[in-house]
Amino acid sequence: MSEFITMGEPVVTFASTDADASLVDSTHYTKILGGAELNVAIGVQRLGHSTEYITQLGTDPLGKFAKKVIESHQIGTNYISFDSKHWTGHQLKQLVTHGDPETFNYRTNSAAANLSPDQFNNVDLSGIKIAHMSGIFPALSQTSRASFKKLMQELINQHIFITFDPNLRPSLWDNRKDMIKTINELAKDADIVMPGSKEGKVLIGTNNPETIANYYLKNGRRTSAVLVKIGPRGAYVKTKAGDSYIVPGFKAQHVVDTVGAGDGFAVGVISALLEHKSLKEAVTRGNAIGSLQVQTPGDNDGYPTPKELANFYHSLK
């Protein structure tokens, strides 16, 4: 029985090791496994919390590789199915030391995109305390969107706490208008919404943290807090009760790869809430893990164990 659950597409990534070179010019790659939701599951598990992950993989070598890696992280695989008719999602990814990386995706019509709602009718949510949902999975296809909505409704029915990260991936959507409408609608059912300020500019037309927070608090059906990621400055927090404040970020000593920082923020928030920490403590941990992640290669290499997190805090004293 797990404390945490998420749904997503694990992406086998052929990641460039040539820093800041374009994918055209890169000649050296390493094979890793990422995917926003899986990153969060890995981070939460690494901090000592039991996790479950819902997805579908192809029967190809990449699918078998993904399952092997997921199991190595001790993440629950009870709801991982296999599809012999569709391939496992994969991508090429640029290594960048600032900004967003260039990626080239092979995810259209993937196995995960074909995970239908009737394939996980027997998901046991008893014991689940927090579910993390992301805007990526519903972008894959109409089928995955239906599966996403089914799980969301079941979580709501069972009064399970939901965190939601918009995780905008415009290249996965048919059009920008559909992306904005769908993401903003899905956000309404989350207890905590965690957009970035740049995402706010796309979704509601402003990157002002307070305006972004006010929008999701006003329109949410159950939203109790909005955490707006504002880059190195940290995060702006506003709650339904009217509290608002900025939680400062942690300075990264050396930026290696920016990918996974936002997911690391979610890891910190979720794991701290599972440990009954205050919201401010949770956001502080989110900022800390985001900072640790950008100082390592890969999508989730910087997510700490409890001892590593304690050592990080101690090093700041």
Side-chain angles (χ1 to χ4, degrees):
M1 189 176 296
S2 297
E3 301 172 87
F4 171 80
I5 196 167
T6 189
M7 166 188 275
E9 178 175 41
V11 181
V12 179
T13 300
F14 295 89
S16 170
T17 57
D18 301 318
D20 295 318
S22 72
L23 290 177
V24 173
D25 296 325
S26 294
T27 56
H28 300 90
Y29 293 83
T30 185
K31 184 174 71 173
I32 61 175
L33 187 66
E37 305 87 356
L38 178 60
N39 289 340
V40 176
I42 288 171
V44 171
Q45 177 71 30
R46 198 168 287 165
L47 283 168
H49 301 281
S50 54
T51 65
E52 197 70 49
Y53 182 58
I54 302 172
T55 195
Q56 183 162 258
L57 303 168
T59 55
D60 50 66
L62 296 184
K64 294 173 184 177
F65 166 76
K67 178 78 176 296
K68 184 177 181 179
V69 173
I70 292 168
E71 289 175 333
S72 75
H73 288 289
Q74 299 180 307
I75 291 169
T77 59
N78 291 320
Y79 307 114
I80 294 181
S81 57
F82 281 89
D83 179 356
S84 61
K85 297 180 180 179
H86 301 94
W87 60 78
T88 303
H90 53 288
Q91 69 174 193
L92 300 177
K93 188 190 79 171
Q94 179 190 26
L95 174 62
V96 294
T97 56
H98 60 278
D100 296 322
E102 176 188 8
T103 60
F104 195 87
N105 290 288
Y106 298 85
R107 300 174 72 175
T108 302
N109 205 30
S110 67
N114 283 279
L115 175 64
S116 63
D118 59 4
Q119 288 177 257
F120 58 96
N121 286 324
N122 299 315
V123 174
D124 183 5
L125 296 175
S126 60
I128 297 293
K129 298 174 182 176
I130 296 180
H132 181 65
M133 306 297 279
S134 155
I136 297 176
F137 197 71
L140 299 178
S141 68
Q142 292 296 331
T143 301
S144 65
R145 192 177 306 180
S147 295
F148 181 98
K149 289 181 177 179
K150 177 181 177 179
L151 179 60
M152 280 284 277
Q153 190 56 57
E154 193 59 35
L155 293 167
I156 293 167
N157 291 345
Q158 297 196 33
H159 308 289
I160 293 172
F161 195 91
I162 300 170
T163 58
F164 179 74
D165 187 336
N167 259 326
L168 297 186
R169 299 291 189 276
S171 64
L172 298 178
W173 292 87
D174 291 335
N175 60 74
R176 183 185 177 95
K177 182 178 179 180
D178 186 34
M179 176 182 73
I180 293 171
K181 180 180 178 181
T182 303
I183 292 294
N184 284 338
E185 186 62 29
L186 294 175
K188 293 179 181 179
D189 289 321
D191 293 272
I192 291 181
V193 183
M194 300 187 287
S197 58
K198 292 181 180 178
E199 291 177 320
K201 182 69 174 177
V202 175
L203 291 168
I204 67 168
T206 179
N207 58 7
N208 179 275
E210 183 175 14
T211 306
I212 295 169
N214 287 341
Y215 175 87
Y216 289 108
L217 286 171
K218 178 182 178 181
N219 291 282
R221 286 183 276 264
R222 50 186 277 164
T223 306
S224 59
V226 179
L227 319 178
V228 184
K229 292 165 282 188
I230 52 177
R233 290 191 294 147
Y236 173 81
V237 178
K238 189 162 188 177
T239 70
K240 195 76 170 179
D243 297 326
S244 63
Y245 48 88
I246 289 178
V247 179
F250 295 83
K251 182 176 176 59
Q253 297 302 314
H254 178 59
V255 176
V256 175
D257 188 348
T258 57
V259 173
D263 300 328
F265 178 81
V267 168
V269 171
I270 292 164
S271 62
L273 293 178
L274 285 171
E275 297 162 22
H276 308 292
K277 306 288 187 184
S278 70
L279 183 59
K280 183 173 287 188
E281 290 174 310
V283 176
T284 298
R285 183 184 291 187
N287 288 341
I289 296 178
S291 175
L292 286 168
Q293 173 56 30
V294 301
Q295 298 180 67
T296 63
D299 286 12
N300 47 57
D301 293 358
Y303 300 164
T305 63
K307 183 177 180 180
E308 289 167 342
L309 182 61
N311 288 342
F312 174 74
Y313 285 139
H314 182 73
S315 71
L316 301 174
K317 294 181 180 179

